[in-house]
Amino acid sequence: MTKPISVQGTYACIQLADFDAGLAFYEKFMGRAPDDQPFPGMAQWRNMNGAGLQLWDDASHAGHGRTTIVVPVMANERSRLEAAGLALGPDNKGDWGIVAQLTDPEGNEITVAEPPKNFPGN
């Protein structure tokens, strides 16, 4: 076996057919503008505890994405998103924590997750 990969971070990627409308939605979802748009048809939020989010202008793959965003406190995120005009679905609770979902205008599914209190890193 070879030496294992050394991961510095990872990006969730969402493909959009209407890039400008999708960017407006994700600015509301993230609560701020992207960190940069390095070239046309791509925007990204970087340096979020080793993670990031990228949007891509790619109509052929749009609407089929699924990503999970882990947050420390679901109730705080729910309140923040509601204030931004975005509604999470109901909380699903279990030994694994709390998850709730919403869908962007193109059909990409976003799961917001609060890990259990005994989760590593909490």
Side-chain angles (χ1 to χ4, degrees):
M1 187 178 289
T2 64
K3 182 178 176 183
I5 187 172
S6 178
V7 177
Q8 184 174 350
T10 188
Y11 285 86
C13 297
I14 302 290
Q15 291 80 24
L16 304 165
D18 185 339
F19 187 79
D20 292 335
L23 180 59
F25 173 87
Y26 282 94
E27 285 178 342
K28 286 170 62 172
F29 177 78
M30 298 298 288
R32 63 183 179 87
D35 291 307
D36 56 47
Q37 292 184 261
F39 50 85
M42 194 270 215
Q44 61 185 359
W45 290 261
R46 297 178 283 108
N47 302 322
M48 300 181 301
N49 294 319
L53 176 68
Q54 292 180 332
L55 304 181
W56 292 89
D57 188 0
D58 182 355
S60 66
H61 293 99
H64 302 287
R66 178 177 286 172
T67 192
T68 299
I69 308 286
V70 179
V71 300
V73 181
M74 179 67 74
N76 294 349
E77 270 320 295
R78 181 176 293 285
S79 295
R80 187 189 68 78
L81 289 169
E82 286 175 1
L86 302 176
L88 279 173
D91 286 350
N92 295 301
K93 300 178 183 182
D95 293 342
W96 32 264
I98 305 169
V99 298
Q101 296 177 315
L102 74 153
T103 303
D104 76 11
E106 297 200 24
N108 296 299
E109 295 179 12
I110 306 165
T111 299
V112 179
E114 175 187 326
K117 299 305 175 209
N118 62 350
F119 190 76
N122 278 354

